[in-house]
mmCIF file of all heavy atoms in Angstrom:
data_model
loop_
_atom_site.group_PDB
_atom_site.id
_atom_site.type_symbol
_atom_site.label_atom_id
_atom_site.label_comp_id
_atom_site.label_asym_id
_atom_site.label_seq_id
_atom_site.Cartn_x
_atom_site.Cartn_y
_atom_site.Cartn_z
ATOM 1 N N LEU I 168 27.487 14.931 20.011
ATOM 2 C CA LEU I 168 27.124 15.600 18.760
ATOM 3 C C LEU I 168 25.748 15.154 18.297
ATOM 4 O O LEU I 168 25.269 14.085 18.646
ATOM 5 C CB LEU I 168 28.152 15.253 17.682
ATOM 6 C CG LEU I 168 29.548 15.829 17.933
ATOM 7 C CD1 LEU I 168 30.530 15.179 16.993
ATOM 8 C CD2 LEU I 168 29.530 17.329 17.743
ATOM 9 N N ASP I 179 35.825 5.753 9.031
ATOM 10 C CA ASP I 179 35.691 5.724 10.481
ATOM 11 C C ASP I 179 34.554 4.803 10.895
ATOM 12 O O ASP I 179 34.665 4.036 11.842
ATOM 13 C CB ASP I 179 35.431 7.132 11.016
ATOM 14 C CG ASP I 179 36.555 8.073 10.612
ATOM 15 O OD1 ASP I 179 37.644 7.550 10.313
ATOM 16 O OD2 ASP I 179 36.320 9.285 10.578
ATOM 17 N N ALA I 209 24.912 4.901 1.529
ATOM 18 C CA ALA I 209 25.795 4.233 2.496
ATOM 19 C C ALA I 209 26.072 2.809 2.048
ATOM 20 O O ALA I 209 26.410 1.944 2.843
ATOM 21 C CB ALA I 209 25.150 4.246 3.873
ATOM 22 N N LEU I 227 20.900 -3.329 17.915
ATOM 23 C CA LEU I 227 21.889 -3.367 16.836
ATOM 24 C C LEU I 227 21.375 -4.231 15.688
ATOM 25 O O LEU I 227 21.422 -3.848 14.519
ATOM 26 C CB LEU I 227 23.213 -3.922 17.382
ATOM 27 C CG LEU I 227 24.348 -4.077 16.370
ATOM 28 C CD1 LEU I 227 24.717 -2.726 15.772
ATOM 29 C CD2 LEU I 227 25.591 -4.691 17.020
ATOM 30 N N ARG I 237 17.250 -2.045 2.997
ATOM 31 C CA ARG I 237 17.449 -0.891 2.121
ATOM 32 C C ARG I 237 18.419 -1.226 0.974
ATOM 33 O O ARG I 237 18.205 -0.838 -0.164
ATOM 34 C CB ARG I 237 17.953 0.281 2.959
ATOM 35 C CG ARG I 237 18.426 1.506 2.185
ATOM 36 C CD ARG I 237 17.261 2.200 1.503
ATOM 37 N NE ARG I 237 17.714 3.362 0.745
ATOM 38 C CZ ARG I 237 18.314 3.300 -0.418
ATOM 39 N NH1 ARG I 237 18.549 2.115 -0.954
ATOM 40 N NH2 ARG I 237 18.698 4.391 -1.041
ATOM 41 N N GLN I 254 17.397 -17.888 8.393
ATOM 42 C CA GLN I 254 16.803 -19.230 8.427
ATOM 43 C C GLN I 254 16.853 -19.815 9.827
ATOM 44 O O GLN I 254 15.915 -20.441 10.279
ATOM 45 C CB GLN I 254 17.538 -20.144 7.437
ATOM 46 C CG GLN I 254 17.110 -19.868 6.010
ATOM 47 C CD GLN I 254 17.875 -20.716 5.026
ATOM 48 O OE1 GLN I 254 19.098 -20.642 4.958
ATOM 49 N NE2 GLN I 254 17.158 -21.532 4.276
ATOM 50 N N PRO I 260 12.629 -19.701 19.422
ATOM 51 C CA PRO I 260 11.427 -19.850 20.261
ATOM 52 C C PRO I 260 10.691 -18.527 20.485
ATOM 53 O O PRO I 260 9.505 -18.532 20.803
ATOM 54 C CB PRO I 260 11.973 -20.404 21.576
ATOM 55 C CG PRO I 260 13.435 -20.125 21.558
ATOM 56 C CD PRO I 260 13.853 -20.085 20.135
ATOM 57 N N ASN I 261 11.369 -17.410 20.339
ATOM 58 C CA ASN I 261 10.722 -16.108 20.553
ATOM 59 C C ASN I 261 9.943 -15.707 19.295
ATOM 60 O O ASN I 261 10.516 -15.559 18.208
ATOM 61 C CB ASN I 261 11.803 -15.075 20.875
ATOM 62 C CG ASN I 261 11.225 -13.718 21.183
ATOM 63 O OD1 ASN I 261 10.125 -13.395 20.749
ATOM 64 N ND2 ASN I 261 11.977 -12.933 21.929
ATOM 65 N N PRO I 278 16.115 -12.263 -6.168
ATOM 66 C CA PRO I 278 15.350 -13.355 -6.802
ATOM 67 C C PRO I 278 15.853 -14.751 -6.460
ATOM 68 O O PRO I 278 15.062 -15.680 -6.417
ATOM 69 C CB PRO I 278 15.509 -13.071 -8.294
ATOM 70 C CG PRO I 278 15.821 -11.622 -8.379
ATOM 71 C CD PRO I 278 16.567 -11.261 -7.140
ATOM 72 N N ARG I 360 -19.059 -15.644 6.250
ATOM 73 C CA ARG I 360 -19.760 -15.383 7.517
ATOM 74 C C ARG I 360 -18.779 -15.147 8.650
ATOM 75 O O ARG I 360 -19.002 -14.301 9.513
ATOM 76 C CB ARG I 360 -20.671 -16.554 7.857
ATOM 77 C CG ARG I 360 -21.886 -16.570 6.946
ATOM 78 C CD ARG I 360 -22.776 -17.766 7.193
ATOM 79 N NE ARG I 360 -23.735 -17.863 6.101
ATOM 80 C CZ ARG I 360 -24.290 -18.999 5.706
ATOM 81 N NH1 ARG I 360 -24.001 -20.126 6.335
ATOM 82 N NH2 ARG I 360 -25.141 -19.006 4.716
ATOM 83 N N ASN I 443 -11.633 5.902 13.663
ATOM 84 C CA ASN I 443 -10.797 5.915 12.470
ATOM 85 C C ASN I 443 -11.640 6.351 11.268
ATOM 86 O O ASN I 443 -12.598 5.691 10.884
ATOM 87 C CB ASN I 443 -10.243 4.502 12.250
ATOM 88 C CG ASN I 443 -9.224 4.448 11.147
ATOM 89 O OD1 ASN I 443 -9.417 5.054 10.088
ATOM 90 N ND2 ASN I 443 -8.135 3.749 11.368
ATOM 91 N N ALA I 449 -15.296 3.635 4.859
ATOM 92 C CA ALA I 449 -15.470 2.313 4.254
ATOM 93 C C ALA I 449 -16.892 1.806 4.486
ATOM 94 O O ALA I 449 -17.528 1.269 3.577
ATOM 95 C CB ALA I 449 -14.447 1.330 4.818
ATOM 96 N N ASN I 532 -35.126 25.460 -0.328
ATOM 97 C CA ASN I 532 -34.028 26.056 0.438
ATOM 98 C C ASN I 532 -33.201 27.060 -0.356
ATOM 99 O O ASN I 532 -32.228 27.597 0.143
ATOM 100 C CB ASN I 532 -33.119 24.956 1.000
ATOM 101 C CG ASN I 532 -32.481 24.123 -0.094
ATOM 102 O OD1 ASN I 532 -32.381 24.547 -1.228
ATOM 103 N ND2 ASN I 532 -32.064 22.916 0.243
ATOM 104 N N LEU I 580 -23.784 42.606 -9.864
ATOM 105 C CA LEU I 580 -22.378 42.310 -9.614
ATOM 106 C C LEU I 580 -21.463 42.808 -10.726
ATOM 107 O O LEU I 580 -20.258 42.921 -10.552
ATOM 108 C CB LEU I 580 -22.185 40.803 -9.454
ATOM 109 C CG LEU I 580 -22.506 40.235 -8.086
ATOM 110 C CD1 LEU I 580 -22.382 38.733 -8.112
ATOM 111 C CD2 LEU I 580 -21.562 40.815 -7.044
ATOM 112 N N SER I 629 -17.196 36.424 -24.378
ATOM 113 C CA SER I 629 -18.589 36.103 -24.080
ATOM 114 C C SER I 629 -19.513 37.241 -24.493
ATOM 115 O O SER I 629 -20.588 37.008 -25.060
ATOM 116 C CB SER I 629 -18.759 35.856 -22.583
ATOM 117 O OG SER I 629 -18.075 34.715 -22.211
ATOM 118 N N LEU I 631 -19.010 39.501 -26.773
ATOM 119 C CA LEU I 631 -19.083 39.573 -28.237
ATOM 120 C C LEU I 631 -19.998 38.497 -28.793
ATOM 121 O O LEU I 631 -20.812 38.731 -29.685
ATOM 122 C CB LEU I 631 -17.674 39.434 -28.842
ATOM 123 C CG LEU I 631 -16.748 40.619 -28.563
ATOM 124 C CD1 LEU I 631 -15.361 40.340 -29.123
ATOM 125 C CD2 LEU I 631 -17.310 41.901 -29.159
ATOM 126 N N ASN I 678 -27.176 42.804 -41.161
ATOM 127 C CA ASN I 678 -27.184 44.261 -41.285
ATOM 128 C C ASN I 678 -26.013 44.684 -42.164
ATOM 129 O O ASN I 678 -25.148 45.454 -41.766
ATOM 130 C CB ASN I 678 -27.044 44.834 -39.854
ATOM 131 C CG ASN I 678 -27.189 46.329 -39.832
ATOM 132 O OD1 ASN I 678 -27.401 46.946 -40.877
ATOM 133 N ND2 ASN I 678 -27.053 46.912 -38.659
ATOM 134 N N SER I 740 -22.785 19.364 -12.650
ATOM 135 C CA SER I 740 -21.798 19.204 -11.590
ATOM 136 C C SER I 740 -20.602 18.433 -12.129
ATOM 137 O O SER I 740 -20.744 17.525 -12.949
ATOM 138 C CB SER I 740 -22.422 18.428 -10.442
ATOM 139 O OG SER I 740 -21.405 17.973 -9.604
ATOM 140 N N TYR I 764 -7.087 -0.628 -9.703
ATOM 141 C CA TYR I 764 -8.472 -0.416 -9.269
ATOM 142 C C TYR I 764 -9.329 -1.614 -9.666
ATOM 143 O O TYR I 764 -9.229 -2.104 -10.787
ATOM 144 C CB TYR I 764 -9.032 0.856 -9.913
ATOM 145 C CG TYR I 764 -10.502 1.073 -9.641
ATOM 146 C CD1 TYR I 764 -10.937 1.489 -8.391
ATOM 147 C CD2 TYR I 764 -11.456 0.830 -10.626
ATOM 148 C CE1 TYR I 764 -12.282 1.674 -8.126
ATOM 149 C CE2 TYR I 764 -12.803 1.016 -10.372
ATOM 150 C CZ TYR I 764 -13.210 1.438 -9.127
ATOM 151 O OH TYR I 764 -14.546 1.615 -8.854
ATOM 152 N N ASP I 813 -10.321 -12.644 29.524
ATOM 153 C CA ASP I 813 -9.146 -12.070 28.879
ATOM 154 C C ASP I 813 -7.989 -13.049 28.796
ATOM 155 O O ASP I 813 -7.542 -13.597 29.784
ATOM 156 C CB ASP I 813 -8.757 -10.842 29.696
ATOM 157 C CG ASP I 813 -7.392 -10.371 29.304
ATOM 158 O OD1 ASP I 813 -7.093 -10.409 28.105
ATOM 159 O OD2 ASP I 813 -6.649 -9.985 30.198
ATOM 160 N N ALA I 817 -0.345 -15.345 24.497
ATOM 161 C CA ALA I 817 -0.330 -16.677 23.927
ATOM 162 C C ALA I 817 0.884 -17.379 24.472
ATOM 163 O O ALA I 817 2.008 -17.024 24.171
ATOM 164 C CB ALA I 817 -0.259 -16.587 22.437
ATOM 165 N N GLN I 876 -34.042 -24.963 4.535
ATOM 166 C CA GLN I 876 -33.733 -24.300 3.284
ATOM 167 C C GLN I 876 -33.934 -25.229 2.102
ATOM 168 O O GLN I 876 -34.228 -24.804 1.012
ATOM 169 C CB GLN I 876 -32.297 -23.781 3.321
ATOM 170 C CG GLN I 876 -32.256 -22.449 4.042
ATOM 171 C CD GLN I 876 -30.860 -22.045 4.458
ATOM 172 O OE1 GLN I 876 -29.914 -22.757 4.150
ATOM 173 N NE2 GLN I 876 -30.769 -20.945 5.140
ATOM 174 N N VAL I 887 -39.709 -10.951 12.869
ATOM 175 C CA VAL I 887 -40.074 -9.555 12.732
ATOM 176 C C VAL I 887 -39.672 -8.877 14.038
ATOM 177 O O VAL I 887 -39.853 -9.422 15.113
ATOM 178 C CB VAL I 887 -41.593 -9.435 12.538
ATOM 179 C CG1 VAL I 887 -42.013 -7.986 12.478
ATOM 180 C CG2 VAL I 887 -42.003 -10.187 11.304
ATOM 181 N N LEU I 897 -37.530 -12.906 39.253
ATOM 182 C CA LEU I 897 -37.254 -12.918 40.675
ATOM 183 C C LEU I 897 -37.178 -11.473 41.144
ATOM 184 O O LEU I 897 -36.406 -10.687 40.591
ATOM 185 C CB LEU I 897 -35.922 -13.636 40.930
ATOM 186 C CG LEU I 897 -35.494 -13.824 42.378
ATOM 187 C CD1 LEU I 897 -36.480 -14.683 43.138
ATOM 188 C CD2 LEU I 897 -34.102 -14.455 42.418
ATOM 189 N N GLY I 902 -35.490 -12.120 46.295
ATOM 190 C CA GLY I 902 -34.214 -12.726 45.906
ATOM 191 C C GLY I 902 -33.061 -12.264 46.769
ATOM 192 O O GLY I 902 -31.917 -12.445 46.381
ATOM 193 N N ILE I 973 -34.723 -23.316 26.583
ATOM 194 C CA ILE I 973 -35.708 -24.167 27.243
ATOM 195 C C ILE I 973 -36.549 -24.861 26.173
ATOM 196 O O ILE I 973 -37.037 -24.206 25.250
ATOM 197 C CB ILE I 973 -36.639 -23.349 28.170
ATOM 198 C CG1 ILE I 973 -35.809 -22.588 29.192
ATOM 199 C CG2 ILE I 973 -37.651 -24.256 28.848
ATOM 200 C CD1 ILE I 973 -36.603 -21.690 30.095
ATOM 201 N N SER I 1028 -59.394 -23.886 14.268
ATOM 202 C CA SER I 1028 -60.266 -23.208 15.212
ATOM 203 C C SER I 1028 -60.446 -21.783 14.705
ATOM 204 O O SER I 1028 -59.510 -21.172 14.202
ATOM 205 C CB SER I 1028 -59.669 -23.222 16.621
ATOM 206 O OG SER I 1028 -58.284 -23.017 16.549
ATOM 207 N N ASP I 1037 -58.898 1.003 14.561
ATOM 208 C CA ASP I 1037 -57.614 1.387 13.950
ATOM 209 C C ASP I 1037 -56.873 0.203 13.355
ATOM 210 O O ASP I 1037 -55.870 0.358 12.692
ATOM 211 C CB ASP I 1037 -56.718 2.087 14.988
ATOM 212 C CG ASP I 1037 -56.287 1.122 16.073
ATOM 213 O OD1 ASP I 1037 -57.164 0.408 16.589
ATOM 214 O OD2 ASP I 1037 -55.086 1.067 16.376
ATOM 215 N N LEU I 1077 -46.498 -27.082 11.756
ATOM 216 C CA LEU I 1077 -46.875 -25.836 11.115
ATOM 217 C C LEU I 1077 -48.035 -25.178 11.869
ATOM 218 O O LEU I 1077 -48.968 -25.844 12.296
ATOM 219 C CB LEU I 1077 -47.308 -26.159 9.687
ATOM 220 C CG LEU I 1077 -47.017 -25.127 8.619
ATOM 221 C CD1 LEU I 1077 -45.570 -24.681 8.667
ATOM 222 C CD2 LEU I 1077 -47.354 -25.721 7.267
#
Side-chain angles (χ1 to χ4, degrees):
Chain I
L168 293 167
D179 302 339
L227 178 61
R237 171 69 181 77
Q254 283 177 300
N261 183 335
R360 287 176 192 153
N443 188 317
N532 61 21
L580 278 175
S629 294
L631 292 176
N678 186 0
S740 164
Y764 174 74
D813 167 39
Q876 277 164 3
V887 176
L897 183 62
I973 303 176
S1028 39
D1037 67 312
L1077 213 50

